[in-house]
Amino acid sequence: MDLIEVEGMRVAGSRADLVLGPGEAVLGGGTWLFSEPQPGLRGLVDLTGLGWDPVVAREDGGLSIAATCTLAQARDAAGRFGTAAAVVEACVDALLGSWKIHNIATVGGNICLALPAGPMTSLAGGLGATAVVWTPAAEGTDGGERRIPVADFVTGVRSTVLRPGEVLRAVEFPAPPAWVSHRRASLAPLGRSAALVLARRDGDGFTLTVTASTASPRVFAFAHVPEAAELAAAIAGCDWYDDAHGAADWRRAMTLRFAEELRAEARAVEAQP
Ligand SMILES: Cc1cc2nc3c(=O)[nH]c(=O)nc-3n(C[C@H](O)[C@H](O)[C@H](O)COP(=O)(O)OP(=O)(O)OC[C@H]3O[C@@H](n4cnc5c(N)ncnc54)[C@H](O)[C@@H]3O)c2cc1C
């Protein structure tokens, strides 16, 4: 779509170029920005010119995924996520766009867009990843950075903790969990996610992350794999999202079912010698 109010586009070549002027926004892949009218948008600053490495190994065994890493690049790197490889692939595939979309849409754009069905939010939130945010340069400084769990980064539908002028730089994934699994439902076979539930085990701990059926991620952490009733009681208090992709009561039912399936799966893995 032509963005008829946009007067200019800059390609950022350094951090100094990320100082945004009035009406400017950063451009990831543009798959959403160019998909609908953007009233008030006067300029775009393309992040891809910064040349960030899409996937970088971290000393703690985790991975740093650049905000500009495309979904296709994340999928290509799935094997580097160890136990989470299948979940990475499933979350990329949960964005039911063509290969053209997967080759352009970015991990950062998906998280910053903050749709409940944002699969990169589900993935990063569910694996306990941290958002690295570049804060805008103050007078005479380059600007700093702050870190926020991705599960807390998205605060609601199209709402994040980003303040004006801030840019998501990267998403830092910890070392792969001991075990991870997920469930996903959508109303239509090729529909947008209506419930995407991810469970992982780190040591004895069990963490269940509910996404897509709630406006923003909800994380439930337990010291051990909980009993069925304990888990169901914890989740039951969520505010269930309701839109054309699924009614609230159905999303609730699917989420509770998935949570119990994942809990049972974790128990079964625990029981293995
Ligand atoms: C066929 C199709 C199916 C889709 N399905 C889904 C779906 O299931 N779930 C879903 O969530 N989306 C879906 N989308 C919407 C969109 O394509 C994706 O969310 C995509 O991942 C957005 O990434 P992008 O890099 O193209 O973002 P852009 O369009 O470039 O940007 C999106 C927003 O994020 C901001 N932004 C981008 N990068 C940064 C950054 N690093 N720091 C700060 N702000 C930033 C931009 O300013 C803009 O406001 C779909 C789109 C299409 C065309």
Side-chain angles (χ1 to χ4, degrees), residues 25-44:
V26 294
L27 172 67
T31 60
W32 177 80
L33 275 167
F34 287 102
S35 72
E36 58 184 74
Q38 305 289 347
L41 186 67
R42 295 284 181 272
L44 290 167

Side-chain angles (χ1 to χ4, degrees), residues 25-33 47 67 71 94-97 101 104-106 108-110 112-113 115 117-119 158 162 166-168 192:
V26 294
L27 172 67
T31 60
W32 177 80
L33 275 167
L47 296 176
L71 268 63
L95 194 150
L96 290 159
I101 299 294
I104 297 174
T106 64
N110 187 256
C112 293
L113 185 57
L115 296 178
R158 301 288 333 281
L162 281 181
E166 287 188 332
V167 173
L168 178 61
R192 191 164 278 194

Side-chain angles (χ1 to χ4, degrees), residues 86-157:
V87 174
V88 172
E89 291 181 356
C91 285
V92 170
D93 291 343
L95 194 150
L96 290 159
S98 68
W99 57 268
K100 289 183 280 187
I101 299 294
H102 283 188
N103 275 300
I104 297 174
T106 64
V107 170
N110 187 256
I111 294 172
C112 293
L113 185 57
L115 296 178
M120 295 301 101
T121 306
S122 304
L123 176 70
L127 291 179
T130 301
V132 180
V133 174
W134 272 4
T135 57
E139 193 82 14
T141 71
D142 278 347
E145 65 180 35
R146 61 190 183 104
R147 285 174 154 70
I148 306 118
V150 172
D152 297 334
F153 181 91
V154 174
T155 53
V157 183

